[in-house]
Amino acid sequence: MSDEKLTPQSENFSEWYNQIVLRADLADYAPVRGCMVVKPYGWALWENIQQALDKRFKATGHVNAAFPLFIPMSFLEKEKEHVEGFSPELAVVTVGGGETLEEPLVVRPTSETIIGYMYSKWIRSYRDLPILINQWGNVVRWEMRTRLFLRTLEFYWQEGHTAHATREEAIEETMRMLDTYYRFAIEEAAVPVIPGRKSQTEKFAGAEMSMTIEAMMRDTKALQSGTSHFLGQNFARAFDIRFLDQNNELQYAWTTSWGLSTRFIGAIIMTHGDDQGLILPPRLAPIQVVIVPIYRDDAERSLVMPVVDRLEQELREAFRVHVDRRDGVTPGFKFNDWEMRGVPLRLEVGPKDVEKNSVALARRDRPGKAGKSFVSQEGLTQTIADTLKDIHQSLLDRAIAFRDSHIHDVKDYEELKQVVEGGWAFAWWCGSAACEAKVKEDTKATTRCIPLDQPGGAGRCVVCGEPATEKVYFARAY
Amino acid sequence: MSDEKLTPQSENFSEWYNQIVLRADLADYAPVRGCMVVKPYGWALWENIQQALDKRFKATGHVNAAFPLFIPMSFLEKEKEHVEGFSPELAVVTVGGGETLEEPLVVRPTSETIIGYMYSKWIRSYRDLPILINQWGNVVRWEMRTRLFLRTLEFYWQEGHTAHATREEAIEETMRMLDTYYRFAIEEAAVPVIPGRKSQTEKFAGAEMSMTIEAMMRDTKALQSGTSHFLGQNFARAFDIRFLDQNNELQYAWTTSWGLSTRFIGAIIMTHGDDQGLILPPRLAPIQVVIVPIYRDDAERSLVMPVVDRLEQELREAFRVHVDRRDGVTPGFKFNDWEMRGVPLRLEVGPKDVEKNSVALARRDRPGKAGKSFVSQEGLTQTIADTLKDIHQSLLDRAIAFRDSHIHDVKDYEELKQVVEGGWAFAWWCGSAACEAKVKEDTKATTRCIPLDQPGGAGRCVVCGEPATEKVYFARAY
């Protein structure tokens, strides 16, 4: 880490973001344009995200599998909207084993097509349904403007792909996975996302309906943090996924897909971080508790270290603990370093603590004295468990308060234009693509989602004044 | 699953293998030549392998990270042997985002080069060493003759890449990871591999020394099941990985790499399987215990199912349990199905068991009556834990017995030629590539490894008669 101060968020949020990703050792730039190296600290965060989601997927009946990285170009062309959406972003393998390939292979940007092909082989009868498969892997989209975690050529994600016998069941699955993402974001990451429906313009290429969770970053821009798509029979028709129903009639299946990626790490960074650096939500933090021993000389050291070793043994049963045993740097340097890296809770042990059978706890979410307390070594596991829970809640509350204070019900178009300069506008919208396009052109804000939670009733479109039955969020987005 | 009988191993081992991979639902052929789809049952097996290895890697101080899928072509060319070894097998991306790339990108066949590049950025001083990083991911090698799991264009693996300050430390790491693979194979998979050193001909392209674990399949062919390479300073020189040592002098680092892939699933299948199908080692099996309820009518059903439900609840705390609740197929069909899929232990509950408070246990490793016992429902968790442990041991013992009865100390070249028709030849070898080449040409057998466990002393090379100080295994291999 460098001793240089981070650029404050208020000065240049984007620069703050780039600095913190590098300095906290989450990721580095790869020598291939737009690609990233996820460093051990960043990958440990992703592994915790993976485990938390995977548990939820398995609890809802899903299993994991692995489909190929390469997709024949002809597959993508089978679904018209899909190929239109993805063809500008493809990486294409044209040479294999020294020979030019007869049919170029696309490095998967997403796997609906190749999984659709396999499902058409596997599904014969209604007894084979539903198929509930998820895949953890890497995908490639040839993006022009890239940023670590937020938009990289290659990224890591999970993509669920399910097939069902009825439209209702597939829609139910789409909503179940939206809810799974929503709960994950709130309960594990303390990121208060808003669940809703994408507009027709913003939906996934090939979907009938796309659901999303949208988060507000600390610069008030929106970040799409996970999506769940109802694909109707679009891919079933393109790949001939058909089954014999209970009346022995051949039917097209109904499919869904849903994904959450390493982009979510960006959501965590920009929801919780402050001018001191990262703040990681306790349930996902690679290190939940860092122990910093405090001593001035060898005598104090030999007093302190046995207690530190004992506490480490004790606490590692329940938490992800790290002891900072570095020599040659001051405790103050260590404090700053772990604050910058976002460890939720710091535990200090000095000679006085040894004497008093106490430790000092410092919460990352409350800087300075407000976050510091001195507690007994007795019952420390429980104290820490309670404190981490409280940190989670306080991060969530703070993010909700920030979000809600930056969302404004707007009455007219002028107000909308003002609001999206530093917040989200919540407004009636007639649903037309023309009105969306006008807002985007005038303000760079797009429709983020039509939230599940609607006020009811009706109003007038904030853009054209025509009757509207739903309200939508307009915001600038990553 | 199909009712057709499997081709017996003795009739056509290769056909037996292909059938069992498909019928047990481990994997399927992808619509891209040489690629596979790993189906949920096969992927669950891989996930268990991953967890078992990952735990061992972390216990030896390693951390995970992720490096890019794409490698600039020029990187591979920096290490002469490396590029010679891999260039015939490359998949190359030449088009991205609709444009021809200035420099083609190779889809990684292995990551020494790109990781070497990053290490040269990250390492400045001896304080930055060692770096102990592992990566779980996919790689691509453009193979001509492919087989599911054993050799596929894309495969899944882990690759560890470490950098050290001294030669000794890097060699120590190479041997530590060889030992990690060895213990994993024995303790988790019951695959009695032989650890040893690869010949100069057979070593990894770019390594100074390659270590391997070699397993004997039931057709007596060898399967290289995991490798650990001491790379010397080859990659450090190619990528300028240098550090300031304690005397403030610039030194090249010493690096290692080590990998184990989905190929290991092939090793499990071909070490333990029989004419009834798969036999999965209990510690890795996706389903450790399958419960088959036995009833003839609704009255018996309502007697049996509550007990089955209760046992499921009880056992799932300790084991990976599956209850076969399928209606419309007989218990006999279910028995065959789960035997074919290799579940180590079957638990049957019928009306008489309910009456007697017992269950029937059937061991997959001992077919028919020999493997069947009737045990009390009291203390069932312990009984099953003991039985699974015993199954592991019996699989291992059987595999060792098979292996050892098919390894022959050979006295002369004629005997070697005979032995490798149906086993491995253990022989003195002078170490020359010419002798290796002659054996390969005459018999298709290659040197598999110079085992760590040597008889000592000296002998005469089995091929040329020159003095030899080490014995080697010659065998045909996958």
Side-chain angles (χ1 to χ4, degrees), chain A residues 4-8 14-24 340:
Chain A
E4 258 177 87
K5 257 192 115 53
L6 283 169
T7 297
S14 163
E15 184 55 27
W16 171 87
Y17 178 83
N18 292 340
Q19 286 178 6
I20 197 62
V21 168
L22 296 175
R23 290 202 200 162
M340 188 268 290

Side-chain angles (χ1 to χ4, degrees), chain B residues 278-298:
Chain B
L278 282 183
I279 303 183
L280 295 178
R283 288 185 196 139
L284 299 176
I287 301 173
Q288 297 175 302
V289 183
V290 63
I291 305 180
V292 180
I294 317 254
Y295 50 80
R296 281 165 305 184
D297 51 33
D298 280 355

Side-chain angles (χ1 to χ4, degrees), chain B residues 310-373:
Chain B
R310 178 172 56 74
L311 291 176
E312 183 190 20
Q313 287 305 320
E314 209 176 296
L315 297 177
R316 68 155 39 137
E317 302 290 309
F319 311 105
R320 296 183 287 271
V321 178
H322 175 74
V323 176
D324 189 343
R325 292 195 164 82
R326 282 180 289 181
D327 271 326
V329 292
T330 64
F333 176 94
K334 292 180 181 179
F335 294 175
N336 288 337
D337 195 20
W338 294 114
E339 276 175 16
M340 186 268 289
R341 286 163 149 264
V343 175
L345 196 59
R346 182 175 75 236
L347 193 155
E348 306 164 12
V349 184
K352 282 198 179 159
D353 297 302
V354 174
E355 202 178 300
K356 292 186 191 166
N357 198 35
S358 68
V359 302
L361 289 183
R363 291 170 62 137
R364 178 63 182 89
D365 61 326
R366 295 193 193 143
K369 281 191 180 167
K372 203 145 176 180
S373 60

Side-chain angles (χ1 to χ4, degrees), chain B residues 404-421:
Chain B
D404 290 350
S405 69
H406 291 86
I407 293 181
H408 303 278
D409 260 36
V410 294
K411 301 292 167 296
D412 58 34
Y413 197 58
E414 279 314 302
E415 195 184 352
L416 182 148
K417 285 202 278 186
Q418 271 187 342
V419 161
V420 298
E421 294 284 327

Side-chain angles (χ1 to χ4, degrees), chain A residues 387-450:
Chain A
T387 309
L388 290 176
K389 208 178 242 181
D390 197 60
I391 294 174
H392 175 90
Q393 194 58 46
S394 98
L395 289 177
L396 183 61
D397 291 345
R398 184 161 75 180
I400 291 173
F402 180 84
R403 180 194 73 189
D404 291 350
S405 69
H406 291 87
I407 293 181
H408 302 279
D409 261 37
V410 295
K411 300 291 169 297
D412 57 34
Y413 196 58
E414 279 313 303
E415 196 184 350
L416 182 147
K417 285 200 277 187
Q418 272 188 339
V419 161
V420 299
E421 294 284 326
W424 296 10
F426 194 40
W428 292 105
W429 172 50
C430 66
S432 87
C435 289
E436 260 181 303
K438 180 173 165 53
V439 173
K440 190 171 178 181
E441 169 131 9
D442 290 348
T443 69
K444 293 183 193 153
T446 51
T447 61
R448 299 320 304 159
C449 72
I450 300 140

Side-chain angles (χ1 to χ4, degrees), chain B residues 93-106:
Chain B
V93 174
T94 60
V95 174
E99 308 270 329
T100 300
L101 302 181
E102 275 183 34
E103 180 178 5
L105 296 173
V106 168

Side-chain angles (χ1 to χ4, degrees), chain B residues 189-468:
Chain B
V191 173
V193 293
I194 294 179
R197 197 174 82 243
K198 283 286 182 194
S199 73
Q200 289 297 304
T201 314
E202 297 284 331
K203 74 176 184 190
F204 176 75
E208 200 168 297
M209 173 181 79
S210 283
M211 305 303 296
T212 177
I213 49 171
E214 298 282 324
M216 184 190 285
M217 305 296 96
R218 289 188 65 77
D219 62 352
T220 76
K221 282 169 80 173
L223 185 80
Q224 176 180 306
S225 306
T227 48
S228 182
H229 313 294
F230 170 60
L231 304 174
Q233 294 181 318
N234 295 346
F235 287 88
R237 284 176 197 279
F239 289 91
D240 202 35
I241 311 174
R242 289 193 289 180
F243 66 97
L244 281 172
D245 70 11
Q246 301 200 343
N247 305 319
N248 224 23
E249 281 172 27
L250 215 48
Q251 304 278 1
Y252 284 108
W254 301 84
T255 67
T256 82
S257 68
W258 28 276
L260 185 146
S261 77
T262 33
R263 199 169 206 230
F264 198 87
I265 291 178
I268 290 174
I269 298 169
M270 294 194 289
T271 296
H272 300 305
D274 64 15
D275 289 348
Q276 274 63 58
L278 282 183
I279 303 183
L280 295 178
R283 288 185 196 139
L284 299 176
I287 301 173
Q288 297 175 302
V289 183
V290 63
I291 305 180
V292 180
I294 317 254
Y295 50 80
R296 281 165 305 184
D297 51 33
D298 280 355
E300 287 188 1
R301 191 178 193 286
S302 64
L303 217 60
V304 164
M305 288 315 290
V307 176
V308 165
D309 293 342
R310 178 172 56 74
L311 291 176
E312 183 190 20
Q313 287 305 320
E314 209 176 296
L315 297 177
R316 68 155 39 137
E317 302 290 309
F319 311 105
R320 296 183 287 271
V321 178
H322 175 74
V323 176
D324 189 343
R325 292 195 164 82
R326 282 180 289 181
D327 271 326
V329 292
T330 64
F333 176 94
K334 292 180 181 179
F335 294 175
N336 288 337
D337 195 20
W338 294 114
E339 276 175 16
M340 186 268 289
R341 286 163 149 264
V343 175
L345 196 59
R346 182 175 75 236
L347 193 155
E348 306 164 12
V349 184
K352 282 198 179 159
D353 297 302
V354 174
E355 202 178 300
K356 292 186 191 166
N357 198 35
S358 68
V359 302
L361 289 183
R363 291 170 62 137
R364 178 63 182 89
D365 61 326
R366 295 193 193 143
K369 281 191 180 167
K372 203 145 176 180
S373 60
F374 299 88
V375 305
S376 170
Q377 288 174 27
E378 303 301 316
L380 190 57
T381 296
Q382 190 57 50
T383 310
I384 290 178
D386 294 343
T387 309
L388 290 176
K389 207 177 242 184
D390 198 60
I391 293 173
H392 176 90
Q393 194 57 48
S394 99
L395 289 177
L396 183 61
D397 291 345
R398 184 160 77 179
I400 291 173
F402 179 85
R403 180 194 72 188
D404 290 350
S405 69
H406 291 86
I407 293 181
H408 303 278
D409 260 36
V410 294
K411 301 292 167 296
D412 58 34
Y413 197 58
E414 279 314 302
E415 195 184 352
L416 182 148
K417 285 202 278 186
Q418 271 187 342
V419 161
V420 298
E421 294 284 327
W424 295 11
F426 192 42
W428 292 104
W429 171 51
C430 65
S432 88
C435 290
E436 261 181 302
K438 179 171 164 57
V439 173
K440 190 171 179 182
E441 167 130 11
D442 290 349
T443 69
K444 293 182 193 153
T446 50
T447 60
R448 301 318 305 159
C449 73
I450 301 141
L452 298 182
D453 191 8
Q454 287 286 333
R460 295 266 167 195
C461 175
V462 71
V463 188
C464 67
E466 291 298 310

